[in-house]
């Protein structure tokens, strides 16, 4: 069974056509499309500051996974 996953980040201010209540908030969601036709939605909302912290943590994790370059003396 192969499921397809889709992850997205939405600016809620834009999604709700400039409604001031949503200014500075973002939703992070994941949809899982299963082979049996079922769609599972998961998600949560963050303010801009928390989103930037999450982004920094993700970037730090990705940087840790980069291969280490060895200096080759000439």
């Amino acid at each position: 069974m192969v499921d397809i996953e889709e992850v997205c980040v939405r600016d809620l201010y834009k999604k709700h056509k400039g409604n001031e209540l949503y200014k500075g908030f973002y939703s992070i969601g994941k949809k899982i499309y299963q082979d049996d036709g079922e769609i599972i939605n998961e998600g949560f909302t963050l303010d801009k500051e928390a989103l930037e912290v999450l982004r920094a943590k993700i970037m730090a994790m990705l940087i840790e996974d980069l291969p280490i370059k060895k200096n080759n003396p000439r």
Side-chain angles (χ1 to χ4, degrees), residues 8-72:
C8 61
V9 177
R10 290 188 180 96
D11 183 339
L12 293 177
Y13 184 68
K14 289 179 183 176
K15 182 178 178 183
H16 292 279
K17 299 178 180 154
N19 185 333
E20 290 296 317
L21 181 66
Y22 296 99
K23 192 170 190 172
F25 287 92
Y26 299 83
S27 68
I28 299 175
K30 179 170 90 169
K31 287 185 179 180
I32 303 170
Y33 300 91
Q34 297 183 337
D35 283 344
D36 62 5
E38 185 178 359
I39 300 172
I40 299 172
N41 290 300
E42 300 173 340
F44 55 94
T45 302
L46 295 172
D47 64 11
K48 188 170 185 172
E49 183 179 340
L51 182 61
E52 289 173 355
V53 169
L54 179 61
R55 177 179 176 240
K57 289 182 179 186
I58 291 170
M59 292 303 295
M61 289 171 53
L62 293 174
I63 289 170
E64 281 182 6
D65 289 343
L66 291 174
I68 297 173
K69 292 183 180 179
K70 295 180 182 178
N71 289 336
N72 292 330

